Amino acid sequence: MTAERDVELNDPWQAIEACFEAGWTDGLPVVPPTEPLVEAMLDGGVWDASDVLLREPARGLEVTARKAAANAVMAGCLPEYFGVVGAALAATGDPSFELHAVSASTGGAAILIAVNGPIRDEIGIHYKENLFGPGFRANATIGRAVRLVLRNCLAAIPGQLDKSTQGWAGKYAMCFGEDEATSPWEPYHVSLGYSPSASTVTVMAAESGHNVLNHASPDPEGLLGTFADTMSAFGSLSSGRSLVVFAPEHARKLGAAGWSRAQVQEYLFTHATRTYAEVKRGGPTLWKAPCWAW
């Protein structure tokens, strides 16, 4: 913006409308990224403004910490959230994540961000009831910041690069924490070799979720059979890599029966299948891949 335009945009609503006109929004109003706000956001992280957080090799694009900070401001993040935003962006930039395919596919995957460790409580990431729903600033704005980076820095704009056939609401924001204290198992990041005192971010390209209801099964096999059946639904876009987030009621039942996370994963991997006859009747080819369990 020119200095003259800056003066004209002293009115907050005009500034918001200018962001709409510039194409910087996800359809919702954003916080205008003024220089002081962007600097404060950068101060909340551990990176210099010119540090590259994310490289997208398919099109030779880079996202610096300053660009990420501007989008975090627009998303409504507090500066103390920026460490999680930056870590999530770095994770999506790992070649194994295949970010270009995720951004451009017709499948409509969202960037799911799962957070472990002390940072959850330090910045207020929600992990209790309605953890996937609205009402929690850290969850909503961290997820939104990552999506805005994809739009504004990597040109993942619907109808242009983003070719999602239908998309889903998680493409606005999808961030949550693990309820480590009530889990019958060690925290997920500890199972990966991290210290319990470490804070980590796990990212996944996720299709829309499936709510699995089972209040009656008295044994783990019956309960997990319901999850396995849902995981192997013919309509799923997944190639088999599933993230299962258990409600406390189900987690307690599995823990009380002495089932480890590894046993749960193995059971789901083995039983999330369809018979050849079922596939022959019109279902797609099914694949098997590891299952993550929270």
Side-chain angles (χ1 to χ4, degrees), residues 4-16:
E4 181 180 356
R5 184 61 168 163
D6 287 339
V7 172
E8 292 174 1
L9 297 183
N10 284 336
D11 177 85
W13 186 250
Q14 288 186 40
I16 291 171

Side-chain angles (χ1 to χ4, degrees), residues 61-97:
L61 298 176
E62 294 183 341
V63 178
T64 64
R66 177 171 291 279
K67 291 179 180 178
N71 283 276
V73 169
M74 288 193 287
C77 289
L78 293 174
E80 52 263 40
Y81 303 170
F82 191 55
V84 176
V85 172
L89 290 173
T92 61
D94 188 286
S96 64
F97 190 77

